[in-house]
Amino acid sequence: PSKFVEDLIVKMSRERGVERRTISKQEIIERVFYPFINEGFKILEEGIAIRPSDIDVVFVFGYGFPAHKGGPMHWAETQIGLKKLYNKLNDYYQKTGRSHFKPSNLLKKCVDSKMSLTKYWKVNAGKSKL
């Protein structure tokens, strides 16, 4: 940014007690996409989507989510790992107190049962609201 904008950012950060620091690409990905995936778990909990793949289809074909990742729910399961997703969300929730970082009940149940979302959903879907 321009010198004026940079000075304004520094001033506002100082006034609000925000510690300025370097943020890695990985942290940006986690802070943007992990809550997004967590919302997918909540959509399943609330019965808005019937199965995890429905969320993936909507996001790949409707919103342009990168198709090579297979959709957010598939990406979480196969590339991120549900335990890592849960732990990172919980860390950010503990640090910030922001509700969008609070891991969903369904994510916690998958991690606690050591099951993939796909397997957990096949075994438990339709029995009751989580």
Side-chain angles (χ1 to χ4, degrees):
S2 70
K3 175 79 171 121
F4 172 78
V5 173
E6 179 68 23
D7 291 345
L8 182 61
I9 291 169
V10 170
K11 178 183 177 223
M12 297 304 288
S13 297
R14 193 178 316 112
E15 287 176 6
R16 288 178 169 71
V18 174
E19 179 185 332
R20 295 179 49 82
R21 62 185 178 86
T22 301
I23 299 174
S24 70
K25 289 180 184 179
Q26 183 62 34
E27 183 177 349
I28 293 169
I29 289 168
E30 292 167 359
R31 291 181 68 155
V32 170
F33 286 105
Y34 289 12
F36 175 79
I37 296 166
N38 197 41
E39 284 301 314
F41 279 87
K42 291 177 184 177
I43 287 169
L44 289 166
E45 286 175 8
E46 294 167 6
I48 296 169
I50 296 172
R51 61 192 153 265
S53 61
D54 294 342
I55 295 167
D56 289 335
V57 167
V58 168
F59 280 94
V60 168
F61 294 106
Y63 296 109
F65 190 88
H68 71 278
K69 294 196 181 295
M73 308 312 286
H74 179 77
W75 181 43
E77 235 181 353
T78 62
Q79 295 175 33
I80 298 169
L82 299 186
K83 186 173 183 176
K84 177 182 176 183
L85 175 67
Y86 176 85
N87 289 337
K88 282 296 189 177
L89 282 167
N90 200 43
D91 287 346
Y92 290 126
Y93 179 63
Q94 296 302 316
K95 288 177 186 174
T96 67
R98 297 195 172 200
S99 62
H100 60 273
F101 288 123
K102 183 177 182 184
S104 74
N105 293 330
L106 176 56
L107 176 55
K108 183 173 182 353
K109 288 181 181 193
C110 288
V111 170
D112 288 347
S113 67
K114 296 181 171 86
M115 292 176 123
S116 69
L117 173 60
T118 302
K119 185 172 183 178
Y120 186 91
W121 199 251
K122 283 180 183 175
V123 171
N124 296 289
K127 292 185 179 176
S128 65
K129 291 257 180 173
L130 300 169

